[in-house]
Each structure stands twice: as structure tokens, then as C-alpha cells.
Amino acid sequence: MKTVAKAAATSVAAWTLLALFVIGMMTLFRIAGIPATVSGSDLIGADGTASVVDCAEHGPLSVRGAGYYWKCVADVRTGPDRPTSRVEFGPDELTPADLGRSVFVDYASHDWQRNVPHPYNFLAAVGPIAAGGLGFIGYAVGPGIFLRWLIPSLRRRDKVTQSPDEPASLDLPVDLKLPVPDGGDRTGAVAAFVFFTATGLGFLVVAGTMVMATMRLRPDDVVTFLIALPFVLPGVGLLAVIPSARRRLRVTSGASLIPARLTPRGFEQTARDGTPLRIHWSKIKRFVFVERPGDLVEVHLSIMGDKADEGLAKPFRTPSEHGYLLTPFLPLREAEHLSAVVENFKRGLTRWPTREVARGGLGLIRPTKSTVVRLKNATSGVTTERRISASRPSLIRMTVMVLAAVLLTWSVVVAASGTVAMDLFIVTAVVLVYLAASLYRGNRGSFVLRKDSLIWQERDRPKVTILYADIDNIVVKPTPSGNGRWYYSVDVVPSEGDEYVLAERVGAAAAKRLVALVQPRPATATSLENHS
């Protein structure tokens, strides 16, 4: 009964959103043709004059969408010696306020219009783009899934035709295929991220323009304000699912599947060179499952012993706060089955931190407790660690990004108010193209500065810890620039041995910040030099 109710609710919600979107599209096309004002007209460029004969109000729901609008019939005269012709004008071109006076009109877009600017004509092109974007999303989701949202009987028919699922066995051995992000092609993920971002912002711009146009002409028309929701919801939804979509696309766009097995003897894998590896159950401390957006789960393995990781294949040796990260992309159903198998074999060996209530001290939740600890350390003079992202943007770049956002917002507001600001659009486009071309292309990671050590943690690689007592100096050197960005290498001069490179390419702002925040070394160590 619960499944039937859920399917019915999903179907009603899907049909409602589809109907609202269709009504919103019709409203969008109506708003695209409305004039900038209905309180006057311009003599310059007019093709004739119109005398209103009759007006009728339509709404709140019609073939022109949602909201109220006027449609008027007027006699149009194109010259003093020419006869008049009766013309039905478009929505809100003329209003009852024009009765008894002549209105200058012109013939444009194969129709008669009030001779004033029509600033929202671009919505006529935006509408099909929005419809195409929604259609592409439906295609990406899958026509079958889309139809099952609308027609619950198809879902029930699928369940009838399919053989009933047998309960998954909880006995060992169990074969696993763990996706790991080592060398997968990320082009598809980047393209999808750009598409979701552009389409989501496009929906929001359309909704904002509809609201602005309605506020100018009919500020009391609440229905038209509500009809902007079909554009707001997809826009917000697309932007909200970006993290989940990126995780899923990293799996489908080329993440390697590493085979492994859970047997009564332990966690077995095969290295890339064919060498069999195994960690016995006696050395396994815990399997940790951390849920992430998109029904994906990070699986971590905690091992006992200093050299226990020798039994792990190289793709599984990424250190994490729970031990070692086996995979960040395991589907939720497979993760729950894996957890059940482990618990069935050895109870208490799994943990789901995201399903626990994390408390500490006098019942304080973890964020509050960490804040109290930081304040206590600050008042007691304890030096806390400092973190520097290798891709840290410079102050100039952050300023340019803020100015670009302001220009973009300003240009959209100006366009929605009835004035075409192409110069602002062009300037913003140039700035955004520059920012996109000069994206960070160095090492992805972060420096962690502690009281006695420096840690370099690069993405998908083991972290490197350097004790200040074991080195003579840390040197920052310039490297070849690229695409308008400056990069630096971070080199370490050890007390014994040759100088080596800690990070090959980091941003200029990160290098300067590293120089400014590096902790004091012993008296025998020289000061940090910047050879830029």
C-alpha cells in the first residue's frame, strides 16, 4: 500500500510540474510581446494611429498562459485619406485607458503594435531554449524512467514482468568491483557540470525576467508571479544536483573498476602486475561507510598495524580520516549489502558515521564542540593548524570575479527593466571568458601547516609529512606560466640528502601565503627564501 501511494504521489507531482511548465511556456511567449509601457506612444516611426473600440480582460488561465491581460480591438488609420481597418491587438498592447484617444502604432513582426520599445522580445528565443533544455534532461534521465514518473501502471507492469528478486546471500565469498578515480576521463563530467550550471542559471534568469515584467505592468497579478515557479524549481534543482551529478558522472565517464573479494580468509585483491594481495580479518579494524549525495557511498578500511597496508593494492592506499579510502563511488545498495555481509561474518566490524548522532562533552553536537575547542586553544595560546589550498586565487582574481558577478547581475536587471545593455553583456562575457581560460591548472591539493611539521596532501595521492627539524629550508621557485596564471614549485632542502620537489605547480597566491604562514623552524634552519 505504501508503494502504491508513493507511485501515485510521484505521478501527481510529475504531471503537476509538467502542466505548470507548459502553462509557464505559454505565459512566457505572451510576456515576450508586451510593450515597455502602456501609458503612451511615440510619434517618431509610427505607421498609423489606433482608436480603441472595445477591450476584454482574459484570465486567470487561458491559451496565453496564466495571469490577467487585456485584448483590445481598435480602428487603425494609416493616412488621412485612407480608410480605417479594424485590428485585434495582442495582449496588453492597448488597454481601456486608451479609449477616447489616438495611439501611435507601428507594423512590426507581422502585427500591429504600440509604437514603444518591446524589450522582452528575447524571451521568444529563450522559451524554446528552456524547452529544449528540459527535453534534454528528460532524454538524459531516460524516456522509460520519465514515462514511469507519469504513468504508474508502467512501473507496476515492469515489476510483474520481471522475476522477483531473490534475497541477496550474506555468505562469503563475495566478489566486489570497487570504482576508483585513477585516470578516468573527466571530460564528460566537466561538460555536464557546465551544462547543468548554464541551464540552471538560464531557468532562473527567465523566471526573474517574468517577475520583473509583471511587476512593471501588473504588480497585483499574483498568478503570473506564481507561474514563474516552473522555471525557478528546475533552475534551483539543476544547481542543487551538481555535486551528486559530478560524483555519478565520474563513475560513468571512466573511473577504473578494481576487482576484489571478501573471503573467510580476509580482503583479497589482485595488483595491476597480477600479484595476489590479502589482508587477514585479524588485521581489519573496521569498514567505514560514509554516505554522499546521489546515493553514493565512500568505503574506508581501517587496518591495525604499522605495515598492514602492504596487503593493499596501490589504488586502495589513499589515506583518509578513517584509514584508507577504498572507493568514493560505491552505489548505496551495494554498500548496504557489503555492510550486511561483513556484519553477518563478524559483528561490530562496520560503521556508518552519517547515520549516527555525533555527540561529545556535555551532549554538544560535533560542530559546537569543535568551535569550543578552537576558542579554548586560541585563549590558551595553543597554535592551531593552518590550511592553504594550492589553487588559492589571488586578491586581484577574486576582485575580478566579484566585479564580473556584479556586472552580470546589473546587465540582467537592466535588460529586465526594458533597456538593452549590450555593452555590459559584452564586458561581462569578456571577463568570464578570461576567467574560464585562466582556470587553475596546477597540482590539486592543500598545505597543512602545524607547529612542528608541514603536510602536503595532493588529491588522490598519499599525504607527505615534513618535520621542520629534518630540513634546512623550504624554497619557492617560479615555473613557466600559462593561460594568464603564474605558478610556483615548492622545493624542500633536507638536512641530509639532495633537494627535492614537494609540489610541482601551485598558484602564486598559495605560494605567497605559504611563505607568510610557515611556522618557525629551529635556530639551525635558515629562513624561507622566495626566488620569485
Side-chain angles (χ1 to χ4, degrees):
M1 184 65 183
K2 184 177 180 180
T3 304
V4 175
K6 183 178 180 180
T10 303
S11 177
V12 171
W15 277 107
T16 302
L17 288 176
L18 182 61
L20 287 176
F21 185 80
V22 172
I23 296 173
M25 290 296 299
M26 294 189 296
T27 308
L28 187 70
F29 287 122
R30 187 187 83 233
I31 293 178
I34 63 176
T37 179
V38 292
S39 59
S41 58
D42 194 355
L43 172 62
I44 300 175
D47 295 327
T49 58
S51 301
V52 177
V53 176
D54 185 34
C55 290
E57 189 177 33
H58 298 265
L61 193 64
S62 66
V63 293
R64 295 280 190 168
Y68 292 91
Y69 62 93
W70 292 102
K71 286 200 69 174
C72 297
V73 177
D75 290 333
V76 177
R77 186 184 297 273
T78 57
D81 298 331
R82 294 187 179 182
T84 61
S85 58
R86 185 151 294 184
V87 177
E88 184 181 40
F89 281 76
D92 286 328
E93 286 289 348
L94 302 175
T95 67
D98 296 318
L99 286 168
R101 63 180 183 180
S102 296
V103 180
F104 296 108
V105 295
D106 69 323
Y107 190 76
S109 302
H110 307 288
D111 202 358
W112 285 99
Q113 299 178 346
R114 181 185 292 267
N115 192 28
V116 294
H118 288 66
Y120 308 109
N121 286 327
F122 69 93
L123 289 178
V126 174
I129 295 175
L134 188 65
F136 184 82
I137 295 172
Y139 171 78
V141 170
I145 296 177
F146 188 77
L147 288 177
R148 284 194 290 271
W149 285 346
L150 299 175
I151 309 174
S153 60
L154 293 178
R155 191 179 308 173
R156 293 196 297 269
R157 192 179 304 167
D158 290 343
K159 291 184 178 181
V160 173
T161 55
Q162 295 175 355
S163 59
D165 296 334
E166 297 182 359
S169 174
L170 301 181
D171 297 330
L172 297 177
V174 173
D175 292 324
L176 305 172
K177 289 185 177 180
L178 304 176
V180 294
D182 60 339
D185 181 13
R186 300 184 182 182
T187 304
V190 173
F193 170 75
V194 173
F195 170 78
F196 283 140
T197 303
T199 308
L201 292 176
F203 275 121
L204 295 181
V205 169
V206 170
T209 306
M210 291 178 65
V211 172
M212 289 289 297
T214 305
M215 289 179 62
R216 286 177 57 85
L217 298 179
R218 284 179 172 266
D220 57 341
D221 192 354
V222 181
V223 179
T224 309
F225 291 145
L226 295 178
I227 209 61
L229 285 176
F231 297 93
V232 174
L233 295 178
V236 174
L238 285 174
L239 297 179
V241 301
I242 285 176
S244 172
R246 291 187 70 184
R247 285 176 173 271
R248 286 189 173 277
L249 286 167
R250 286 187 67 178
V251 179
T252 59
S253 63
S256 301
L257 295 176
I258 307 298
R261 298 189 76 199
L262 277 181
T263 69
R265 302 181 66 183
F267 179 58
E268 298 180 353
Q269 324 109 62
T270 302
R272 294 190 185 278
D273 59 358
T275 304
L277 299 173
R278 183 177 69 244
I279 297 180
H280 195 268
W281 286 102
S282 60
K283 296 183 178 181
I284 296 178
K285 184 178 181 181
R286 184 168 291 171
F287 282 90
V288 181
F289 301 86
V290 181
E291 293 182 79
R292 297 301 185 192
D295 288 340
L296 295 173
V297 178
E298 291 181 357
V299 182
H300 303 257
L301 179 62
S302 179
I303 310 172
M304 294 182 289
D306 296 334
K307 297 184 179 181
D309 60 342
E310 294 179 351
L312 277 178
K314 186 176 180 180
F316 300 144
R317 291 186 181 180
T318 302
S320 69
E321 59 178 333
H322 300 293
Y324 295 92
L325 177 64
L326 298 183
T327 174
F329 302 131
L330 194 66
L332 178 61
R333 179 176 294 182
E334 296 182 20
E336 290 178 338
H337 177 248
L338 174 59
S339 176
V341 170
V342 174
E343 284 292 314
N344 183 61
F345 180 77
K346 194 172 183 181
R347 187 167 296 278
L349 208 61
T350 65
R351 182 188 170 201
W352 292 75
T354 49
R355 299 183 181 182
E356 301 171 359
V357 179
R359 295 181 177 272
L362 299 175
L364 297 174
I365 60 176
R366 182 175 296 174
T368 306
K369 181 181 178 182
S370 62
T371 303
V372 172
V373 171
R374 286 198 300 270
L375 292 175
K376 181 180 178 181
N377 290 341
T379 56
S380 61
V382 177
T383 303
T384 58
E385 68 179 26
R386 308 295 291 271
R387 186 176 295 271
I388 305 171
S389 173
S391 58
R392 177 188 182 94
S394 64
L395 179 61
I396 296 177
R397 183 174 179 83
M398 293 178 65
T399 303
V400 173
M401 292 173 64
V402 172
L403 291 177
V406 172
L407 282 174
L408 180 61
T409 305
W410 186 19
S411 58
V412 171
V413 171
V414 171
S417 65
T419 304
V420 179
M422 290 303 299
D423 54 342
L424 295 179
F425 276 113
I426 293 174
V427 172
T428 306
V430 171
V431 174
L432 292 178
V433 168
Y434 167 75
L435 291 174
S438 61
L439 287 176
Y440 179 76
R441 292 177 173 84
N443 298 105
R444 299 284 181 176
S446 59
F447 297 96
V448 180
L449 285 79
R450 293 180 175 174
K451 188 175 181 179
D452 58 349
S453 62
L454 170 66
I455 298 175
W456 165 242
Q457 176 66 70
E458 190 171 356
R459 182 181 296 178
D460 302 332
R461 291 189 180 182
K463 65 181 180 181
V464 179
T465 302
I466 302 171
L467 296 176
Y468 294 140
D470 297 335
I471 63 176
D472 287 339
N473 205 355
I474 297 176
V475 182
V476 177
K477 299 180 180 181
T479 60
S481 60
N483 296 41
R485 297 292 294 271
W486 293 95
Y487 296 96
Y488 293 81
S489 67
V490 179
D491 297 9
V492 176
V493 181
S495 303
E496 297 180 359
D498 298 330
E499 177 180 335
Y500 62 90
V501 178
L502 179 62
E504 295 180 351
R505 279 167 68 91
V506 301
K512 294 178 181 178
R513 188 65 172 168
L514 179 63
V515 171
L517 293 182
V518 67
Q519 300 291 344
R521 266 90 64 193
T524 56
T526 60
S527 61
L528 180 132
E529 300 177 1
N530 186 350
H531 294 282
S532 62

